[in-house]
Amino acid sequence: MNRLYTGKTKDVYELENGDYLLKFKDDVTGENGVFDPGANTVGLVMEGAGRAGLRLTKFFFEKLNAANIPTHFIDADIERATMTVAPASVFGQGLEVICRYRAVGSFLRRYGLYAQEGQTLDAFVEVTLKDDARQDPPISKSALEMLRILSAEEYEALEKLTKQISQVVKDELSLKGIELYDIKLEFGRLKKDGQVVLIDEISGGNMRAFKDGVYVEPLELEKLMLAGE
């Protein structure tokens, strides 16, 4: 296998048949030993986080594929903590797309003059550049198009998919009495036809979820969601 990329929480390899293999790690993002899905650095290591994240990712990607929502997912090997995906390229040097249902995290830090902590948001979608040196700055639709990172049509597809995917996750969590506050997704273009699809993962490491007003950590979220599966 040829390693293409080393990331904060997973490594990417190219297989002989052209597909990609994602290797999940036990590293999670955060600062000062505290988990934060919006952080730019690896803050701590949670033993078992890689497999837990993959189990939840497999669960959600299979739900999305069954609903005909396009993803790059092919299959997963939980024991090896690997996921096989269709090859896709990221937009520019990478974008993160956040769907927010509650005013917390960086949203509250930026807009705290107007927003109350925890107030309800109507599936607010925002896009940020993956740029650690500049702390992942938010970027508008117009700027994305002007800088030729993606087209207006691709932005519309990305925003629509973000709301669809986030609603699926929100609904699944609610069945377990869990509330989704926000979720961070990544998208790319399939190399075979350029279609905009969900890539990367959907796990406790890229969302904030609460049960009875208490934050649910990534490993606990996987246990709660997949109990009985």
Side-chain angles (χ1 to χ4, degrees):
M1 294 187 297
N2 176 35
R3 183 159 64 181
L4 300 176
Y5 174 75
T6 298
K8 298 184 186 76
T9 59
K10 64 182 72 65
D11 294 334
V12 182
Y13 299 85
E14 184 177 19
L15 299 173
E16 290 184 0
N17 66 358
D19 289 338
Y20 289 174
L21 186 79
L22 309 185
K23 174 67 174 178
F24 283 63
K25 305 177 184 179
D26 286 342
D27 299 334
V28 297
T29 56
E31 294 181 359
N32 301 317
V34 179
F35 166 73
D36 181 353
N40 297 324
T41 58
V42 171
L44 62 159
V45 176
M46 292 184 179
E47 186 176 354
R51 288 187 178 85
L54 179 56
R55 278 190 286 267
L56 206 52
T57 294
K58 179 176 182 288
F59 172 81
F60 282 122
F61 270 85
E62 288 178 343
K63 293 281 184 184
L64 296 173
N65 285 357
N68 294 316
I69 296 175
T71 78
H72 70 162
F73 178 81
I74 296 175
D75 60 34
D77 186 327
I78 304 300
E79 288 306 310
R80 294 180 180 270
T82 60
M83 182 167 79
T84 306
V85 301
S89 59
V90 299
F91 296 101
Q93 296 187 45
L95 302 175
E96 292 179 339
V97 188
I98 302 98
C99 187
R100 301 184 183 277
Y101 296 100
R102 293 276 187 176
V104 294
S106 60
F107 181 93
L108 187 65
R109 290 193 293 273
R110 290 197 302 268
Y111 309 124
L113 181 62
Y114 301 94
Q116 298 295 317
E117 183 175 4
Q119 78 176 65
T120 301
L121 302 174
D122 186 17
F124 174 76
V125 175
E126 64 180 340
V127 180
T128 67
L129 298 176
K130 292 187 75 172
D131 186 343
D132 292 347
R134 296 171 178 81
Q135 299 184 329
D136 295 350
I139 185 168
S140 69
K141 174 184 176 182
S142 297
L144 286 164
E145 184 179 6
M146 192 176 299
L147 296 174
R148 299 183 179 180
I149 296 172
L150 50 69
S151 68
E153 292 76 18
E154 286 176 323
Y155 182 91
E156 295 299 331
L158 180 150
E159 184 176 45
K160 180 180 178 181
L161 285 171
T162 296
K163 291 186 177 182
Q164 288 179 325
I165 293 162
S166 300
Q167 189 63 53
V168 169
V169 175
K170 188 173 186 289
D171 289 344
E172 289 295 330
L173 263 61
S174 69
L175 294 176
K176 303 288 186 176
I178 302 168
E179 181 181 357
L180 179 65
Y181 274 34
D182 58 33
I183 184 168
K184 179 173 63 180
L185 304 172
E186 293 190 34
F187 294 87
R189 301 181 184 98
L190 282 182
K191 289 195 172 180
K192 67 177 181 180
D193 58 12
Q195 182 184 20
V196 177
V197 300
L198 177 71
I199 64 172
D200 199 48
E201 66 178 279
I202 302 180
S203 68
N206 61 338
M207 69 178 77
R208 288 187 182 90
F210 287 71
K211 186 176 178 64
D212 300 325
V214 178
Y215 169 69
V216 183
E217 293 190 353
L219 294 179
E220 182 63 20
L221 183 65
E222 183 265 340
K223 292 176 183 177
L224 291 173
M225 287 301 299
L226 300 184
E229 292 290 328

